[in-house]
Amino acid sequence: MRKVFLFAAACLFATAPTVHAEPAYPTKPIRLIVPFAPGGSTDVLARLLAAALSPELGQPVIVENKAGAGGNIGGNYVAKSAPDGYTLLIAAAGPTVINPSLYARMPYDPAKDLRAVSLLIQEPNLMAVNPKIPAKTVPEFIAYAKSRPNEVSFGSPGNGSPAHLAGEWFKQLTGTTMAHIPYKGTGPALNDLLAGQIAMMIDNMPALWPHVQSGKLRALAVSTDKRTTTAPDVPTIAESVKGFSFGAWKGLMAPAATPPAIVERLHAATTKALETPELRKRLIALGAEPVGNTPAQFAAVIEAETASWAALVKLTGARLD
C-alpha cells in the first residue's frame, strides 16, 4: 500500500502544471524618452517626474531627448523598443494625436504601437509677446499685427506643432497675416522670443510662464476656455477671439505589447508620484494641473484628441511630407 501511495504521489507531482513567477520589475534604470529638444514643457515635466518616480520604483529614472520630425523620431523609438517597461514615452499631442493627420507618412501608428499608462498633466497654452511689442492685450496685438501685414512673426517648436497650428488658427479667426517661424524645439524658439527676434508665441504655459514672472515676456492670454488658477488675472484668448479655445496635455506611454502587470506597476508608481506635495507644487506653479488617471481613461482622451486635432489640421490646411 505504501509503495502504491508513493507512486501515485510521484505521478501527481510529475504531471502538475509548472507555475512561473512573474519576473521582478524593475531591476534596472528606466528611460523616459522626450520626443522634443531640451527646454520645452515636455522636457521640464520629464525631469520633474523622473525625480519623483525614481523613489517609487526603486531604480534610477533617466531622461533622454530624441527630437525631430515633430516628435516622430522619439515616438517611433519607443514604439519599436522592447515592451519590457524600461523605455517609456513622455507623450504630447504632436507625436500621439496630431501627426497621424498631419504627415503623409508615419513611421509608426500611435494607436496601435503605443499603450496608454496615465495622463500626467493638463495645461493651458500661453500667448506671450516680447516686451518690445507695445500691445498689452489681445485686441491691441491684433490691431498691431493688422497695421503691419506680414511684418509681425510668431514662433513655434516646428512645422505642424500645436503652437504652429494655434498660430495659424489665430490668424484665420482674426484676419491677421503674420509670418510663421519654425524652430527645432521650444527652447530655440523661446530664446528668439526673449531676444526680440520674433514677436509672439502661443505655447505651453510651463515653458513661458517663468519668463513672464521675471518680466522678460508679457502674457496676453491663455488658450483654454477658462482662466487658470496660476494666473487668474490673465484673460483667455476666447474673451477677445470667439471660438478660440484648446489646451495641452502630457502623458506616459509604453510600447503596445508591454505586459499588463508592468503597465499597472508603472501606473501605480506614476499616480503616487503625482500626489507628492513637492511635485504638485512645482507643476501648479508652472501652470500645469497634475492628473494621474487610469490607462483606460487616458486612452479615451487620446481617442477624442485625435479626432479634434484632425479637424483643426483640416481647417488650417496644414500638411507635411
Side-chain angles (χ1 to χ4, degrees), residues 2 19 43 143 154 160 215 244 275 277-278:
R2 178 179 173 80
V19 178
D43 183 66
F154 75 95
F244 189 102
E275 291 171 359
E278 179 59 27

Side-chain angles (χ1 to χ4, degrees), residues 9 27 45 49 53 79 88 108 183 219 285 287 304:
T27 59
L45 168 65
L49 179 65
L53 201 53
L88 308 172
Y108 66 105
Y183 292 83

Side-chain angles (χ1 to χ4, degrees), residues 107-225:
Y108 66 105
D109 184 343
K112 295 180 180 179
D113 299 334
L114 293 170
R115 182 170 185 166
V117 176
S118 179
L119 182 64
L120 299 171
I121 63 168
Q122 292 177 320
E123 58 192 353
N125 282 264
L126 186 69
M127 182 178 183
V129 297
N130 184 282
K132 295 178 182 177
I133 303 298
K136 293 180 171 60
T137 65
V138 172
E140 287 180 5
F141 181 81
I142 294 171
Y144 178 82
K146 284 186 173 181
S147 69
R148 296 163 176 78
N150 296 313
E151 293 181 15
V152 177
S153 59
F154 75 95
S156 81
N159 285 318
S161 64
H164 174 206
L165 296 177
E168 296 296 338
W169 191 22
F170 183 86
K171 285 166 57 179
Q172 285 194 9
L173 292 178
T174 61
T176 52
T177 53
M178 297 181 290
H180 170 234
I181 310 297
Y183 292 83
K184 293 183 177 181
T186 294
L190 181 55
N191 287 338
D192 270 10
L193 181 62
L194 291 167
Q197 299 301 313
I198 55 176
M200 183 272 286
M201 281 181 69
I202 304 174
D203 207 351
N204 298 159
M205 188 168 180
L208 275 59
W209 185 242
H211 301 288
V212 172
Q213 291 178 301
S214 69
K216 295 178 181 178
L217 294 178
R218 179 185 302 127
L220 298 187
V222 294
S223 67
T224 43
D225 57 356

